[in-house]
Amino acid sequence: MQQYVDYHYDGPAFDLFGAGHLLAMAIVAAVATYLIWGWRDPSEQARRRARLLIVGAMLLIEVSWHGWNLLNDAWSYRQHLPLHSCAISVWGSIYVVLTRSYRVYEILFFIGTAGAVQTLLTPDAGDYGLPHFRALQTLSAHGMIVIAMVYMTAIEGFRPTWGSLWKTMLIGNVYLLVVTAVNYLIGSNYMYTLRKPATASLLDMMGPWPWYILWGELVALAMFLLLYLPIWMAERQARRQTVSIR
């Protein structure tokens, strides 16, 4: 068991779309499916327990990640500050679930879900294969972002708007400029604005720097539109039913 928590791991690397990876994605998909179609009219007490469970799981995952790096003398302000979009999404999701803040939700619905889904598909686990702590932490942290956003949408009844999508694009671009300046100042590579990640990712298909950033903008917009599509379709159907009743 010790090898699965060791920082210097010499076991098999992460098996992209291997059995363990597919199982992890299936678990996230199953929980999301249950929240959307299976959990009908939960009481306020049940929703409160669910919120505490989501927050507790996300805190445990995030604290254990920083603790593991600190214990191995590997924590660095150039790598572990909460400046990557998914790190922000973890803490933002905790805040949204605890406070039920719509203003934060409408941004995280797009940034958090899109970023987490992309990372679930191509995890940045490096040489750490399942069931190593690092691989489990990566999959569970991003899976919980998806679950938190699905929960707030399906159970708490929050909905992003068309304006939320464009607000997210604006805020995201401003943040890219800010984090790029931070990267130049401290020698980091948060949000991968200076170079691509070392492990395989969607950015590998988008050309060299800085073109992959521009392509990334288009991919982000496409993902945001896909995320908004079922919301738009459901609202359109609801409007049609209202008109027909009248």
Side-chain angles (χ1 to χ4, degrees), residues 192-218:
Y192 307 116
T193 63
L194 301 185
R195 58 189 177 277
K196 297 178 185 179
T199 55
S201 73
L202 188 62
L203 297 180
D204 293 331
M205 303 171 62
M206 300 182 191
W209 185 93
W211 302 112
Y212 70 80
I213 297 176
L214 299 177
W215 279 109
E217 293 270 346
L218 295 176

Side-chain angles (χ1 to χ4, degrees), residues 120-176:
L120 280 171
L121 290 171
T122 56
D124 185 13
D127 294 328
Y128 298 101
L130 288 167
H132 192 278
F133 164 78
R134 171 58 175 145
L136 290 172
Q137 180 273 330
T138 298
L139 292 168
S140 58
H142 294 88
M144 286 306 302
I145 294 171
V146 174
I147 289 169
M149 290 299 102
V150 171
Y151 170 83
M152 293 303 299
T153 305
I155 304 302
E156 296 293 341
F158 284 31
R159 297 288 187 276
T161 66
W162 182 245
S164 301
L165 189 155
W166 297 107
K167 186 188 296 184
T168 303
M169 287 295 295
L170 175 61
I171 291 174
N173 277 281
V174 171
Y175 180 71
L176 275 180

Side-chain angles (χ1 to χ4, degrees), residues 27-188:
I27 291 172
V28 174
V31 174
T33 299
Y34 174 72
L35 290 173
I36 295 170
W37 289 292
W39 199 16
R40 298 296 184 184
D41 300 319
S43 65
E44 175 54 35
Q45 185 179 14
R47 292 200 302 271
R48 182 175 181 275
R49 287 197 296 265
R51 291 195 299 270
L52 291 176
L53 179 62
I54 291 170
V55 168
M58 297 187 85
L59 282 173
L60 177 63
I61 293 166
E62 194 67 7
V63 170
S64 65
W65 161 240
H66 288 282
W68 181 71
N69 281 285
L70 287 168
L71 287 173
N72 287 284
D73 197 27
W75 197 94
S76 167
Y77 67 90
R78 291 190 175 96
Q79 292 180 309
H80 299 106
L81 294 177
L83 295 178
H84 278 301
S85 62
C86 286
I88 293 173
S89 296
V90 167
W91 293 107
S93 296
I94 291 171
Y95 178 80
V96 167
V97 173
L98 278 177
T99 66
R100 288 182 275 188
S101 167
Y102 179 79
R103 290 186 177 182
V104 180
Y105 161 84
E106 67 174 332
I107 306 301
L108 283 185
F109 175 85
F110 293 107
I111 288 181
T113 308
V117 167
Q118 192 272 324
T119 304
L120 280 171
L121 290 171
T122 56
D124 185 13
D127 294 328
Y128 298 101
L130 288 167
H132 192 278
F133 164 78
R134 171 58 175 145
L136 290 172
Q137 180 273 330
T138 298
L139 292 168
S140 58
H142 294 88
M144 286 306 302
I145 294 171
V146 174
I147 289 169
M149 290 299 102
V150 171
Y151 170 83
M152 293 303 299
T153 305
I155 304 302
E156 296 293 341
F158 284 31
R159 297 288 187 276
T161 66
W162 182 245
S164 301
L165 189 155
W166 297 107
K167 186 188 296 184
T168 303
M169 287 295 295
L170 175 61
I171 291 174
N173 277 281
V174 171
Y175 180 71
L176 275 180
L177 294 175
V178 172
V179 81
T180 299
V182 171
N183 287 335
Y184 275 112
L185 286 172
I186 68 175
S188 57

